[in-house]
Amino acid sequence: MQTEVETPLKPYAQEQKIPSLWLEIIRRLFKQKSALIGGTIILFFIFLAIFAPLLTTYSFKESVLENRFLPPLSEGHFFGTDDLGRDLFTRIIYGAQISLRVGFLSVIGSIVIGTMLGLIAGYYGKWIDMIISRIFDIMLAFPSILLAIAIVTVLGRSLTNALIAIAIINIPTYGRLVRSKVLSLKEEEFILAAKAIGMKNSRILFHHLLPNSMTPIIVQGTLGIATAIIETAALGFLGLGAVPPTPEWGTMLADSKDYIQLAPWTVIFPGISIMLVVLGFNLLGDGLRDTLDPKMKK
């Protein structure tokens, strides 16, 4: 009598590996050409900002009047010098530290405060939603740059106050974004089930609603860094940002605007730096939006 040999069944988990969510996002992000270009530009400026002391032998505030308005590629000055004989390349790469720091910190502040207010307004509704929404509407009624100018005028001219002003004026953007997302999520079955079993509101907010609202926040935050860098440069150009000799790009443009015909490189290089960084974050933000959008998945 022939006996049948039973072959062990392979577990389903071994037959089909489920890819990690973050690995899948990274894989799809690498397929976005715009995101790759933007990320490369951003990493390049981050590299300049981190290794600035190793990339130049000059100090960003070192002034040599005998070397005023030297053209690019002359006497060891790669980008030339400004009206005070300071090395322009040195000031550009140290300016990258300032612009990136202000961009990241101001957006983080806006996201934290705006997200909290948006969660509370969208989840609790009623008079709480009305008060928070009206505050957002009032802030959005003013042009953002004018509101930033007013805040810096009250607080006083400094880079820190400019950072605070930029963070404040962008709070409504993230608050309204999160509020609209929460309004749609709180009627979903998993939220209703969480309420039915008696889950605390704080747990629902931070363990269910917040994680499911992160996608638009990440995309808007990436684009918001570019906006914050432009606003920092605008405040610096208007004389309301960094105090000289701090090498902030907008302040550098303001200091050089009278020498456009005499020494155009003093305006060109800070302007190109602002344009490239903003372009990098915009391209990366567009790539993230396409990557994280479920409608874009095949």
Side-chain angles (χ1 to χ4, degrees), residues 218-275:
I218 293 173
V219 175
Q220 183 59 43
T222 306
L223 298 172
I225 294 174
T227 303
I229 291 174
I230 292 177
E231 291 166 343
T232 303
L235 290 175
F237 185 81
L238 295 172
L240 296 173
V243 179
T246 305
E248 194 275 318
W249 291 337
T251 305
M252 292 171 64
L253 288 174
D255 294 339
S256 303
K257 67 180 183 299
D258 296 329
Y259 311 110
I260 294 178
Q261 294 182 345
L262 177 63
W265 57 87
T266 59
V267 177
I268 291 174
F269 289 117
I272 290 177
S273 299
I274 295 171
M275 182 269 292

Side-chain angles (χ1 to χ4, degrees), residues 103-121 132 136 166-168 170-179 206 210 213-214 217-218 220-221:
F104 280 107
L105 292 180
S106 62
V107 167
I108 290 173
S110 299
I111 288 176
V112 171
I113 299 175
T115 299
M116 290 296 299
L117 293 176
L119 284 172
I120 294 171
I132 295 176
F136 289 164
I166 294 169
I168 291 174
N170 288 309
I171 287 174
T173 301
Y174 300 96
R176 296 184 72 177
L177 183 67
V178 174
R179 174 184 174 273
F206 294 106
L210 179 59
S213 304
M214 289 303 297
I217 295 175
I218 293 173
Q220 183 59 43

Side-chain angles (χ1 to χ4, degrees), residues 17-271:
K17 294 183 179 180
I18 301 176
S20 170
L21 176 61
W22 288 107
L23 290 177
E24 178 66 15
I25 292 174
I26 294 173
R27 184 184 66 81
R28 297 184 68 238
L29 187 62
F30 270 95
K31 293 183 178 181
Q32 297 286 339
K33 292 183 179 180
S34 62
L36 288 177
I37 296 173
T40 302
I41 295 173
I42 294 168
L43 289 176
F44 173 72
F45 277 94
I46 291 176
F47 172 82
L48 292 180
I50 293 175
F51 296 101
L54 302 178
L55 297 175
T56 179
T57 58
Y58 299 100
S59 170
F60 66 82
K61 55 185 176 182
E62 180 182 354
S63 177
V64 183
L65 295 179
E66 296 81 9
N67 293 335
R68 295 176 71 240
F69 297 130
L70 290 178
L73 302 177
S74 62
E75 299 183 18
H77 298 285
F78 188 61
F79 285 174
T81 59
D82 61 7
D83 59 311
L84 297 177
R86 297 171 296 193
D87 182 65
L88 202 57
F89 174 74
T90 300
R91 292 179 62 78
I92 290 292
I93 61 177
Y94 276 97
Q97 294 180 346
I98 297 171
S99 294
L100 292 174
R101 182 170 67 248
V102 172
F104 280 107
L105 292 180
S106 62
V107 167
I108 290 173
S110 299
I111 288 176
V112 171
I113 299 175
T115 299
M116 290 296 299
L117 293 176
L119 284 172
I120 294 171
Y123 183 72
Y124 290 101
K126 299 181 181 179
W127 63 270
I128 297 178
D129 183 22
M130 184 186 67
I131 292 175
I132 295 176
S133 296
R134 295 298 79 78
I135 293 174
F136 289 164
D137 292 338
I138 293 172
M139 294 178 67
L140 291 172
F142 295 92
S144 58
I145 190 64
L146 292 181
L147 184 57
I149 291 172
I151 295 172
V152 174
T153 302
V154 172
L155 297 178
R157 177 186 179 181
S158 73
L159 189 62
T160 301
N161 291 339
L163 188 155
I164 294 172
I166 294 169
I168 291 174
I169 64 176
N170 288 309
I171 287 174
T173 301
Y174 300 96
R176 296 184 72 177
L177 183 67
V178 174
R179 174 184 174 273
S180 62
K181 188 70 174 178
V182 171
L183 286 175
S184 62
L185 285 174
K186 72 177 185 178
E187 301 300 329
E188 296 289 338
E189 292 182 355
F190 69 98
I191 298 297
L192 298 177
K195 292 180 180 179
I197 63 175
M199 185 176 292
K200 294 182 179 179
N201 290 330
S202 59
R203 186 172 179 83
I204 294 175
L205 285 172
F206 294 106
H207 286 78
H208 294 287
L209 292 175
L210 179 59
N212 285 281
S213 304
M214 289 303 297
T215 296
I217 295 175
I218 293 173
V219 175
Q220 183 59 43
T222 306
L223 298 172
I225 294 174
T227 303
I229 291 174
I230 292 177
E231 291 166 343
T232 303
L235 290 175
F237 185 81
L238 295 172
L240 296 173
V243 179
T246 305
E248 194 275 318
W249 291 337
T251 305
M252 292 171 64
L253 288 174
D255 294 339
S256 303
K257 67 180 183 299
D258 296 329
Y259 311 110
I260 294 178
Q261 294 182 345
L262 177 63
W265 57 87
T266 59
V267 177
I268 291 174
F269 289 117

